[in-house]
Amino acid sequence: MDRLQRLRASMREHGLDGYLVTGPENWRYLSGFTGSSGALVIGEKAEVLVTDFRYLTQVREEAPGFTVRRQEESLWATVAATLQDLGLKCVGFEAEHLSVDDFYKLKELLPGEILTPAPGLVAKLRMIKDTGEIERIRQAVAVADAAWQEVLPTIRPGDAEQDVAWRLEEALHRLGASGTSFPTIVASGSRSALPHGEAGDRQLMAGDLVVVDFGCVLHGYCSDMTRTVVVGEPTRRQQEIYHLVLQAQLAAIAGLRPQLTGREGDALARRVIEEAGYGEYFGHGLGHSLGLAIHENPRLSPRENTVLAPGMVLTVEPGVYLPDWGGIRIEDVVVITESGCEVLTASAKDLTVIF
Ligand code: ZN
Ligand code: ZN
């Protein structure tokens, strides 16, 4: 079933005769339109894309199946006119992608109460990737792998974190990426205990753990990977915790399969870390889905009840973070298959020592 048909089935389940799509990744998913300003109005038989004059040529190429309506005095005035022209009575909107201010602007332009919050309908469709999407993610992952292979041998004591980040980003662009999928994390020494330590001016020095977490966007789809390296001869404790995190990650990869809930998937790795006594130092979920956006649902987390299914693409990224000592995280991207999962990330995971 194509994407619009699946959305319409979901609209019917929610008692909606119209749906207003205002999340950029969601309108891209449904229509192909990559512009940054616009909205989709989906009715039972109509699909209208509203955008402004800057995008009129582009949108006809990217979204040939859609009726294009040019934005007049404001986006909301044209959206309101479209909803009325189509005679829609109960229009769901993406409450997670419409500001309160914009909601009131739109509401004032419409007679009666036809708008109803209906968040997450497209996000739910996006949870399971089709083969074309998996192929694009695979390519984005391969670009990140290639950049890492290129940059890892160049990392030296004395490099600033942001120099390492820049070399990675330069390689990603050169290898075809259109951008990074999030600000590159290079967190060294005690900063490695910050799970989201963006690269700063600290210089790498002997004894440091260095967490490098990065990804790129290729053909609209994201990649995400983390490797942790050590500068100088690793201590016994660094080796022990590195192997613990790796064992936890490998246990999750061995166990992930359809029918597990996100919580059960998370537990595959969490159990290993808890049994070693470090449970309280693994303070985030095991992973997240990714696709057109870097963080999508479902998650692998103690709070996730969604059941895993073939075609879901998730990160597997256990970590242990000890304040003042440092942190270790290892992250790959996997796709759930009929019987288990396939790891897309190819970079080696043995502890790399930088001299
Ligand atoms: Zn990451
Ligand atoms: Zn991640």
Side-chain angles (χ1 to χ4, degrees):
M1 229 196 319
D2 84 0
R3 295 171 182 182
L4 282 176
Q5 279 179 289
R6 289 193 292 142
L7 176 62
R8 288 187 172 116
S10 174
M11 285 161 55
R12 281 191 293 275
E13 275 172 36
H14 288 79
L16 305 169
D17 67 354
Y19 198 61
L20 172 63
V21 179
T22 49
E25 284 103 5
N26 289 342
W27 76 53
R28 178 172 185 162
Y29 180 78
L30 293 169
S31 73
F33 174 50
T34 63
S36 62
S37 175
L40 301 185
V41 175
I42 309 297
E44 267 305 317
K45 295 208 170 58
E47 46 271 337
V48 181
L49 201 161
V50 180
T51 190
D52 64 71
F53 126 96
R54 294 172 296 167
Y55 294 111
L56 290 179
T57 306
Q58 170 183 342
V59 75
R60 291 199 173 94
E61 279 168 24
E62 291 180 338
F66 278 68
T67 304
V68 176
R69 189 152 171 175
R70 180 181 169 160
Q71 174 183 324
E72 301 298 339
E73 66 260 43
S74 79
L75 176 64
W76 304 120
T78 309
V79 166
T82 305
L83 297 175
Q84 289 178 274
D85 292 350
L86 293 173
L88 301 174
K89 301 275 180 296
C90 188
V91 178
F93 66 91
E94 299 192 291
E96 76 279 44
H97 295 296
L98 188 70
S99 74
V100 175
D101 191 47
D102 287 338
F103 168 74
Y104 281 112
K105 281 181 189 153
L106 180 59
K107 188 173 149 63
E108 276 187 13
L109 292 159
L110 292 165
E113 302 280 329
I114 70 165
L115 295 174
T116 182
L121 267 57
V122 184
K124 195 164 177 201
L125 304 183
R126 283 168 48 196
M127 291 203 304
I128 293 178
K129 274 66 181 174
D130 62 32
T131 51
E133 293 184 286
I134 292 170
E135 194 48 45
R136 286 173 171 205
I137 296 168
R138 194 186 291 278
Q139 290 172 8
V141 167
V143 164
D145 272 327
W148 181 241
Q149 198 181 350
E150 205 180 288
V151 172
L152 175 60
T154 73
I155 302 175
R156 292 281 178 274
D159 286 351
E161 293 170 350
Q162 58 206 12
D163 295 337
V164 176
W166 176 247
R167 294 207 294 277
L168 271 170
E169 291 176 15
E170 189 276 328
L172 293 169
H173 280 276
R174 185 160 27 74
L175 293 162
S178 60
T180 58
S181 48
F182 57 90
T184 300
I185 291 168
V186 180
S188 63
S190 59
R191 293 188 74 249
S192 61
L194 309 172
H196 270 190
E198 266 184 51
D201 57 8
R202 189 182 179 285
Q203 292 178 317
L204 312 189
M205 60 174 95
D208 282 355
L209 288 163
V210 187
V211 173
V212 183
D213 186 350
F214 67 103
C216 67
V217 180
L218 188 70
H219 306 306
Y221 282 78
C222 295
S223 63
D224 188 2
M225 68 178 278
T226 307
R227 290 294 182 266
T228 301
V229 302
V230 64
V231 184
E233 208 51 63
T235 65
R236 168 165 293 194
R237 195 166 192 217
Q238 286 172 333
Q239 293 183 45
E240 281 172 3
I241 296 182
Y242 189 91
H243 289 290
L244 172 65
V245 173
L246 182 56
Q247 290 316 307
Q249 207 237 12
L250 294 174
I253 288 169
L256 282 173
R257 57 179 170 77
Q259 298 306 322
L260 294 184
T261 63
R263 175 161 29 89
E264 289 166 331
D266 174 272
L268 294 167
R270 194 167 303 280
R271 196 178 302 135
V272 175
I273 291 173
E274 280 172 355
E275 279 168 8
Y278 288 96
E280 64 177 299
Y281 302 107
F282 174 23
H284 56 74
L286 178 63
H288 53 90
S289 294
L290 82 181
L292 287 168
I294 183 64
H295 293 117
E296 299 189 356
N297 290 325
R299 313 288 165 137
L300 296 173
S301 119
R303 290 171 296 283
E304 179 64 71
N305 294 314
T306 304
V307 176
L308 303 181
M312 289 182 176
V313 178
L314 294 140
T315 69
V316 180
E317 48 178 311
V320 168
Y321 312 91
L322 302 176
D324 302 326
W325 180 79
I328 291 167
R329 177 165 71 256
I330 303 169
E331 176 181 30
D332 289 338
V333 173
V334 308
V335 54
I336 304 294
T337 61
E338 295 296 331
S339 58
C341 75
E342 181 198 353
V343 183
L344 302 186
T345 312
S347 295
K349 291 188 276 198
D350 35 281
L351 180 57
T352 302
V353 179
I354 306 290
F355 288 106

